[in-house]
Amino acid sequence: MASNEFDLIARYFEQQKVSRRDVALSIGDDCALLEVPAGSQLAVSTDSLVSGTHFLSDADPVLVAHKALASNLSDLAAMGATPAWVSLALTMPGPDELWLKAFCEGFFALAEYYNVQLVGGDTTKGPLSITITVHGFVPQGQALTRSGAEAGDWVYVTGNLGDSAAGLSLLLGEKSTDDESLKATLLERHYKAQPRILAGQALRGIASAALDISDGLISDLGHILERSGLGADIEVDKIPLSPELCQFESDEIKACQMALSSGEEYELCFTVPEQNRGALDTALVHSGVKATCIGQLRSGAGIRLVRDGQELDWHLHGYDHFAE
Ligand code: ADP
Ligand code: MG
């Protein structure tokens, strides 16, 4: 069936189950009209996913949609914000309804889980790309930023690191395994990261700085260090690795290096002052997410990777779109 832009918007984007009280006017007018609760600040973040750069052009649209929205929600998690609204700018080569149907399935499943309402967007023709803007609330003055850390604070990460990179290496055919169930698990971890929304909220008032790992721990922790004017010692043996990653990459050093540089993990990296460590343990039990202490901040600059008290000369870097 031939469709125009407005048919597509009506058929796909206006069909959603989430209907929030703080949305006065949603899709269909020139702007959405939205109410921010008194005492809250609005946290806003945009991320683009470009076909061929962030996902393969033949990737399952259900998974692409999940990844696109999850990566945006992860930015809200990193600020300690509660997601509320999302807008979607979609550029695609033509009105491919099979693709759209699957995309919406993945998108709305995750949006419903977090009670996030799609309130607007734009639909245009061109090479496939997806730009999402998420909006969330954070109590006035309580957002977690990258700049509040101090020397002596402890460095933590949620979950495990490296699984997303392992999944990507399978997708790109760089590395393989005959174990089908291992393969399925790692691919799932690459595509279906769960944004750490509850953990981020639990860290408000406890963490001194936080961000989400989108370009690799080594690169993202660097942002906290720059913003806070500090250095860090990271104990590589403490980096949390999943049993699946260790099975996939049996060379322990390589597995650890993968975990340090893997982007698109969407775990949180955060710093905690000594006096808040007890409160952290309690808060995380309630959020159901594990966090591991991997090192400590010090005065100075840069990241020192340490093993058995020895500084390592590993030359690792995260992902940089404009790296030559
Ligand atoms: P305008 O030309 O005034 O910018 P559009 O024709 O682009 O309006 O969009 C009509 C309505 O549909 C607007 O409310 C817009 O927010 C919404 N919309 C368009 N594309 C999308 C999309 N991909 N997802 C959600 N809403 C969309
Ligand atoms: Mg428009």
Side-chain angles (χ1 to χ4, degrees):
M1 186 188 336
S3 309
N4 68 27
E5 174 191 340
F6 303 104
D7 288 340
L8 290 180
I9 294 168
R11 198 138 10 104
Y12 292 99
F13 299 118
E14 288 187 51
Q15 309 299 322
Q16 63 179 320
K17 296 201 189 92
V18 177
S19 168
R20 294 176 58 101
R21 287 167 180 275
D22 49 22
V23 177
L25 190 59
S26 186
I27 295 175
D29 215 309
D30 291 314
C31 292
L33 295 174
L34 310 166
E35 323 268 357
V36 180
S40 288
Q41 286 176 302
L42 188 63
V44 181
S45 176
T46 297
D47 256 328
S48 293
L49 266 72
V50 177
S51 174
T53 301
H54 299 92
F55 59 93
L56 303 175
S57 55
D58 60 353
D60 180 347
V62 177
L63 299 175
V64 170
H66 178 100
K67 185 174 165 180
L69 183 53
S71 71
N72 273 266
L73 292 172
S74 176
D75 286 315
L76 291 180
M79 299 295 285
T82 304
W85 313 309
V86 58
S87 60
L88 167 67
L90 189 61
T91 303
M92 45 190 215
D96 180 344
E97 297 214 26
L98 269 182
W99 192 92
L100 261 179
K101 188 167 179 291
F103 180 86
C104 286
E105 188 187 318
F107 188 90
F108 288 126
L110 188 60
E112 278 162 31
Y113 185 81
Y114 288 105
N115 196 35
V116 175
Q117 185 168 344
L118 179 65
V119 293
D122 202 19
T123 307
T124 51
K125 186 173 171 177
L128 185 60
S129 95
I130 302 153
T131 296
I132 290 178
T133 301
V134 283
H135 303 75
F137 309 140
V138 63
Q140 185 77 37
Q142 289 186 34
L144 303 168
T145 66
R146 299 177 175 191
S147 60
E150 297 201 14
D153 289 358
W154 298 94
V155 181
Y156 285 80
V157 290
T158 57
N160 294 317
L161 298 181
D163 291 2
S164 178
L168 183 62
S169 72
L170 282 166
L171 269 176
L172 297 177
E174 292 170 352
K175 199 167 153 55
S176 61
T177 170
D178 296 333
D179 185 332
E180 289 302 321
S181 111
L182 178 63
K183 198 169 170 177
T185 303
L186 292 171
L187 287 175
E188 167 103 3
R189 301 239 169 102
H190 174 74
Y191 273 117
K192 296 207 77 179
Q194 284 301 328
R196 297 302 195 187
I197 297 291
L198 290 180
Q201 291 168 348
L203 292 174
R204 293 197 306 247
I206 294 175
S208 50
L211 47 54
D212 67 319
I213 301 175
S214 54
D215 296 327
L217 175 68
I218 208 87
S219 155
D220 290 317
L221 175 59
H223 299 315
I224 291 186
L225 299 180
E226 278 157 30
R227 289 297 179 94
S228 302
L230 294 169
D233 289 342
I234 298 300
E235 304 258 355
V236 298
D237 286 340
K238 294 199 177 146
I239 301 292
L241 309 178
S242 71
E244 290 83 5
L245 179 66
C246 297
Q247 192 185 338
F248 181 68
E249 177 52 81
S250 51
D251 180 330
E252 203 187 314
I253 290 181
K254 281 193 189 152
C256 189
Q257 292 179 335
M258 212 166 189
L260 284 163
S261 51
S262 172
E264 303 184 326
E265 290 288 331
Y266 305 119
E267 295 294 349
L268 302 181
C269 172
F270 58 96
T271 57
V272 178
E274 174 66 33
Q275 68 270 21
N276 289 353
R277 291 180 92 187
L280 172 71
D281 295 340
T282 311
L284 286 172
V285 170
H286 297 302
S287 79
V289 171
K290 95 169 169 178
T292 309
C293 182
I294 58 167
Q296 194 170 23
L297 300 182
R298 54 172 166 78
S299 56
I303 299 174
R304 241 177 0 218
L305 297 176
V306 182
R307 192 177 203 198
D308 299 328
Q310 300 287 321
E311 187 175 348
L312 301 165
D313 64 344
W314 293 358
H315 296 284
L316 303 174
H317 48 82
Y319 188 74
D320 178 346
H321 283 280
F322 295 105
E324 305 270 315

